[in-house]
C-alpha cells in the first residue's frame, strides 16, 4: 500500500461512498462472497460507490495506480469473479434505487438490487422481470450473462427485456447504450457485459406476473432405474408443456425441512420445481402430468404470489460454503446418460445437487446473432454442484462434481456464463462461439483495449479469436 499511499489517501477523501482497506475493521465481512472459497482471496481495497460518478472515480483510481479490478453485484459468482486477490473490488451493493412506471411497464433499476428485491417491488403492480432463481442474486451480474429465470420459456432471458443500460467504461466515461445509442455495445452487453465496464443502471420492460401457480413436487429416486426414468420422462413432459410453464428437475438428498417427513431425510429424491404464469385456474391441469410421474412424496404446489417462489431456493442463498460446479447446454438427455447419472446420485452428499432446466419457447425465438448470448437453440441447461464447509474438502467436491457431470460431458454444447465455475478451463470459448467472441473482442478493443475489466468470462481485445476455436 505504501507504494501508492498518496493516491490512496486522495481517493479515500474524495470518493463518494465507502472505502475499506485491507487490515481495517470490517474488511473480512466486506470481502465475503457467496462461494466461501473467496476467503482465499484478499482485495487491497473494497470501494462501495454511492452513485455512477463514484464508480467512474474508482475505475480511474485503479487504473492510475495499477490495481486490477473486480466488480461485484450480488456476489453469487461460482467462479469468484466478484472478488480478487490484491486488487480493488467495486462493490455495487449500495446502488439500490428502483423506479417503476406501471403504465409503460418500464423499470429502471440499479445493479446492487437483488432479484428478490425487484420481484417484491414489482409485485404490487402485477409485474415481474424474467430472471433470478435465488432471491439474493444480484441484478447487474445475472443480467450481463443473459439471465435464465423462472419465466424464460414465456418471456425469454432477462436481456430480452432490457431496453437500455448505463455503463462506466475503462476510461471512466459514462455511456448510455440501447438499440439506438451505441447499438454495437448494447449487442455485446447482452451476454458479455462484464467485459465492457461497470453497469450502473438498467432499464427493463417488465411483463405481467402477479399470482402464479408454482412450487415443488418430489418423488423417490433411490432406485437407479426409477431415477433415470423420472429424469427422461420429466425432460419430455417439460418440452410438451405450455410455454407459460418453466420447470427444473433436480436430484438432491431430501433436506431436513419441516415439509419433509423424517423418514425421507437424506434419501435421494427427484424434485420438480415450477412456475406456471398462465391462468392459475389451469395450474392443476398443467401440473397433472408431472404429478403422475410416480407416487408423490411431497406436493408443495399451488397458487402463490410470484415472490413467494424464492422460498424454494432459500438454501441456495446461504453463504459460508465452498462450491464446486460444472454446467453446460444440452440438446438431449439420453437414456444411457440418465442411467449413469441416476446411479451416481444414489448416495448424495450434503450440499449436492443436479439441476436440469428445459429451455425453448421465447428464448429460442430470438435469433442467436441478436445478442452476445448465443445459446438460443439449446434445449436444456444442466448444472451439477457440490457445497462443502471446509477448504480441505475442495478436492473431494471437485471429484464428486466431475463424476456426476461425466455422463453428459461429451454432449455439452456450450456454457452459460453465469454458471462458470473454478473448474472451467477457458470458459470464454464455451460461453461464446467463435463469431460471437470476435465481435465482442472488437467492441472490447474500442471500450477497454487494455483489458482493465478482465475479472469475468473474459474475451480479450485484439485477439484473433478464430485461431482459438
Amino acid at each position: 500500500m505504501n507504494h501508492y499511499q498518496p493516491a490512496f489517501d486522495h481517493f479515500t477523501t474524495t470518493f463518494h461512498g465507502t472505502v475499506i482497506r485491507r487490515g481495517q475493521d470490517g474488511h473480512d465481512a466486506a470481502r465475503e462472497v457467496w462461494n466461501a472459497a473467496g476467503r482465499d482471496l484478499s482485495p487491497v481495497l473494497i470501494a462501495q460507490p454511492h452513485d455512477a460518478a463514484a464508480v467512474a472515480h474508482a475505475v480511474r483510481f485503479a487504473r492510475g495506480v495499477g490495481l486490477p479490478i473486480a466488480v461485484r453485484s450480488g456476489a453469487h459468482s461460482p467462479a469468484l469473479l466478484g472478488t480478487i486477490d490484491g486488487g480493488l473490488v467495486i462493490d455495487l451493493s449500495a446502488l439500490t434505487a428502483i423506479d417503476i412506471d406501471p403504465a409503460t411497464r418500464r423499470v429502471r433499476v440499479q445493479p446492487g438490487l437483488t432479484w428478490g428485491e425487484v420481484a417484491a417491488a414489482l409485485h404490487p403492480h402485477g409485474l415481474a422481470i424474467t430472471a433470478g432463481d435465488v432471491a439474493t442474486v444480484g441484478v447487474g451480474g445475472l443480467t450481463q450473462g443473459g439471465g435464465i429465470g423462472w419465466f424464460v420459456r414465456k418471456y425469454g432471458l432477462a436481456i430480452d427485456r432490457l431496453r437500455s443500460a448505463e455503463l462506466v467504461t475503462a476510461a471512466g466515461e459514462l455511456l448510455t447504450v440501447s438499440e439506438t445509442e451505441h447499438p454495437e455495445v448494447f449487442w455485446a452487453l447482452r451476454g458479455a457485459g462484464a467485459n465492457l465496464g461497470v453497469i450502473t443502471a438498467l432499464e427493463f420492460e417488465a411483463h405481467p406476473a402477479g399470482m402464479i401457480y408454482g412450487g415443488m413436487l418430489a418423488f423417490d429416486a433411490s432406485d437407479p432405474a426409477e431415477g433415470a426414468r423420472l429424469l427422461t420422462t420429466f425432460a419430455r413432459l417439460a418440452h410438451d408443456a405450455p410455454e407459460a410453464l418453466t420447470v427444473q428437475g433436480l436430484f438432491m438428498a431430501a433436506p431436513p425441512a419441516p415439509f419433509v417427513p423424517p423418514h425421507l431425510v437424506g434419501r435421494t429424491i427427484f424434485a420438480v420445481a415450477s412456475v406456471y404464469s398462465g391462468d392459475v385456474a389451469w395450474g392443476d391441469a398443467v401440473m397433472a402430468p408431472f404429478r403422475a410421474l410416480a407416487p408423490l412424496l411431497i406436493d408443495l404446489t399451488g397458487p402463490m404470489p410470484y415472490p413467494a417462489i424464492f422460498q424454494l431456493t432459500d438454501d441456495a442463498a446461504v453463504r459460508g460454503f465452498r462450491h464446486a460446479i460444472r454446467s453446460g447446454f444440452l440438446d438431449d438427455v439420453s437414456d444411457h446418460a440418465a442411467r449413469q447419472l441416476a446411479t451416481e446420485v444414489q448416495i448424495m452428499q450434503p450440499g449436492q445437487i443436479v439441476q436440469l432446466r428445459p429451455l425453448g419457447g421465447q428464448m429460442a425465438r430470438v435469433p442467436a446473432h441478436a445478442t452476445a448470448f448465443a445459446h438460443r437453440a439449446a434445449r436444456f441447461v444442466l448444472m451439477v454442484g457440490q457445497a462443502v464447509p471446509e477448504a480441505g474438502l475442495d478436492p473431494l467436491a471437485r471429484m464428486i462434481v466431475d463424476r456426476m457431470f461425466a455422463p453428459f460431458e461429451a454432449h455439452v454444447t456450450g456454457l452459460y456464463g453465469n454458471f462458470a465455475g473454478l473448474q472451467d478451463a477457458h470458459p470464454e470459448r464455451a460461453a461464446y462461439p467463435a463469431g460471437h467472441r470476435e465481435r465482442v473482442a472488437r467492441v472490447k478493443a474500442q471500450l477497454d483495449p487494455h483489458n482493465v475489466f478482465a475479472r469475468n468470462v473474459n474475451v480479450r481485445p485484439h485477439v484473433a479469436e478464430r485461431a482459438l476455436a
Side-chain angles (χ1 to χ4, degrees):
M1 184 68 71
N2 291 336
H3 177 66
Y4 45 87
Q5 188 66 47
F8 169 74
D9 290 341
H10 179 72
F11 176 62
T12 55
T13 57
T14 57
F15 181 70
H16 185 213
T18 302
V19 179
I20 305 169
R21 178 180 173 178
R22 185 162 59 193
Q24 285 184 331
D25 289 344
H27 181 268
D28 283 347
R31 71 186 177 99
E32 190 79 3
V33 293
W34 172 76
N35 185 350
R39 293 170 184 168
D40 300 339
L41 308 178
S42 182
V44 172
L45 295 173
I46 300 169
Q48 298 168 334
H50 290 173
D51 55 29
V55 172
H57 187 183
V59 171
R60 290 193 295 267
F61 163 74
R63 288 197 64 186
V65 299
L67 277 178
I69 295 173
V71 182
R72 189 166 83 198
S73 176
H76 264 265
S77 168
L80 304 177
L81 300 178
T83 188
I84 193 167
D85 196 48
L88 169 68
V89 170
I90 300 177
D91 175 1
L92 304 174
S93 60
L95 299 180
T96 58
I98 182 168
D99 184 26
I100 303 167
D101 185 341
T104 63
R105 297 181 182 168
R106 291 297 177 106
V107 184
R108 188 178 190 273
V109 300
Q110 289 187 314
L113 286 164
T114 66
W115 283 108
E117 291 169 336
V118 171
L122 289 175
H123 181 68
H125 305 286
L127 299 173
I129 298 169
T130 171
D133 293 342
V134 179
T136 54
V137 168
V139 168
L142 184 128
T143 300
Q144 290 175 105
I148 297 174
W150 284 117
F151 299 92
V152 65
R153 286 166 49 81
K154 187 171 184 179
Y155 294 112
L157 302 167
I159 56 172
D160 299 333
R161 309 299 300 185
L162 188 64
R163 300 298 175 256
S164 68
E166 186 180 85
L167 179 75
V168 172
T169 69
E173 299 172 344
L174 191 63
L175 288 183
T176 298
V177 301
S178 67
E179 291 282 10
T180 56
E181 295 180 272
H182 307 286
E184 192 67 1
V185 178
F186 190 55
W187 175 89
L189 183 143
R190 289 172 292 168
N195 277 277
L196 309 180
V198 186
I199 289 179
T200 53
L202 304 107
E203 184 184 24
F204 294 95
E205 183 177 345
H207 54 77
M211 294 295 291
I212 58 146
Y213 188 101
M216 187 183 75
L217 308 171
F219 308 91
D220 189 347
S222 58
D223 173 76
E226 176 65 356
R229 185 192 67 83
L230 286 167
L231 181 65
T232 55
T233 307
F234 161 81
R236 176 179 54 79
L237 289 176
H239 273 286
D240 291 341
E243 290 182 4
L245 179 67
T246 291
V247 289
Q248 302 175 23
L250 306 108
F251 284 113
M252 65 177 73
F259 55 82
V260 177
H263 70 282
L264 296 178
V265 172
R267 183 183 297 184
T268 299
I269 60 172
F270 183 76
V272 177
S274 62
V275 166
Y276 174 63
S277 53
D279 186 339
V280 295
W282 289 97
D284 279 335
V286 169
M287 291 305 299
F290 295 93
R291 284 197 177 92
L293 275 169
L296 276 165
L297 298 180
I298 300 167
D299 186 348
L300 299 176
T301 56
M304 64 179 70
Y306 167 60
I309 198 66
F310 292 112
Q311 295 173 19
L312 282 182
T313 55
D314 280 348
D315 286 350
V318 175
R319 296 191 179 192
F321 292 91
R322 304 170 73 93
H323 294 268
I325 184 172
R326 298 288 304 278
S327 66
F329 293 102
L330 294 170
D331 290 328
D332 191 24
V333 179
S334 71
D335 291 340
H336 179 67
R339 286 194 300 271
Q340 287 183 290
L341 175 62
T343 300
E344 288 292 338
V345 300
Q346 286 312 296
I347 302 176
M348 297 202 77
Q349 305 293 322
Q352 185 175 322
I353 193 166
V354 178
Q355 178 197 87
L356 181 75
R357 185 200 297 265
L359 301 171
Q362 180 57 30
M363 170 183 157
R365 279 192 283 274
V366 177
H369 62 76
T371 61
F373 179 96
H375 305 284
R376 299 287 184 168
R379 290 169 55 85
F380 304 93
V381 61
L382 174 73
M383 186 274 288
V384 177
Q386 171 74 63
V388 294
E390 301 172 7
L393 295 174
D394 281 351
L396 175 62
R398 290 193 293 269
M399 181 188 73
I400 290 170
V401 166
D402 284 341
R403 285 186 60 175
M404 291 192 297
F405 192 69
F408 297 92
E409 190 154 19
H411 309 289
V412 165
T413 56
L415 174 71
Y416 177 37
N418 288 341
F419 283 175
L422 295 170
Q423 290 166 261
D424 289 311
H426 301 293
E428 75 285 353
R429 300 186 194 180
Y432 308 111
H436 283 66
R437 284 203 310 273
E438 291 173 1
R439 191 170 171 184
V440 172
R442 290 195 297 270
V443 177
K444 188 169 175 71
Q446 296 173 4
L447 291 184
D448 184 14
H450 303 292
N451 206 15
V452 170
F453 298 107
R455 190 72 176 163
N456 46 55
V457 180
N458 192 234
V459 177
R460 293 168 294 172
H462 302 303
V463 172
E465 292 291 329
R466 192 174 300 280
L468 299 177

